[in-house]
Amino acid sequence: MAEAARRFQPAGSPDLVRRMIARPVRLAHQARTRLPEREATPVQAPAMARAEAAIARLEAELGVMKAVVRVQRQEIESLRAQRRLLTESSPDDDVRATRERWADLVDSLLIRAR
């Protein structure tokens, strides 16, 4: 394979050298990082079962939290769409008039309370 690559690549190409060196280095690194599989001793079996149960519980909790976040995002998007619809459909004059009426009502209630 290296011979075929050399034929198609110009001489002294750094890409060719990188590819030829990187593959054996990567394979050697993967071989070193793999741990040999050992069977669990009877003492380790309950600890592994507890760890697996904890992992399963955490994965279930993560699934629930993701569902809650998804529903919250949908609700927020729905509220934003409603707000957009309300602000686009009502003219500025109507909004201003309503705001002034409410301000007058609050002022009159505050004046009467004194």
Side-chain angles (χ1 to χ4, degrees):
M1 186 165 84
E3 194 63 38
R6 254 186 259 137
R7 272 187 263 141
F8 291 110
Q9 292 286 332
S13 170
D15 187 44
L16 173 66
V17 174
R18 245 184 273 132
R19 281 190 290 147
M20 289 175 65
I21 292 174
R23 181 174 165 80
V25 170
R26 187 175 57 240
L27 292 175
H29 177 69
Q30 288 174 350
R32 280 194 310 256
T33 57
R34 284 192 204 127
L35 297 175
E37 304 251 344
R38 292 185 287 177
E39 292 194 23
T41 61
V43 175
Q44 292 175 333
M48 288 179 63
R50 283 194 306 269
E52 289 173 359
I55 289 171
R57 182 180 51 82
L58 289 172
E59 286 175 345
E61 288 178 7
L62 180 63
V64 169
M65 286 191 292
K66 284 183 177 181
V68 167
V69 169
R70 186 173 39 251
V71 169
Q72 285 179 339
R73 286 181 180 161
Q74 290 171 351
E75 184 65 25
I76 288 170
E77 196 57 41
S78 170
L79 290 173
R80 285 182 179 160
Q82 288 176 6
R83 185 185 70 193
R84 209 173 307 122
L85 180 67
L86 289 173
T87 56
E88 289 174 357
S89 64
S90 61
D92 290 334
D93 293 335
D94 289 343
V95 173
R96 192 175 304 117
T98 303
R99 190 179 307 135
E100 288 173 4
R101 278 189 300 219
W102 277 102
D104 290 340
L105 178 64
V106 169
D107 286 341
S108 67
L109 290 174
L110 287 174
I111 291 172
R112 287 186 199 159
R114 289 185 187 176

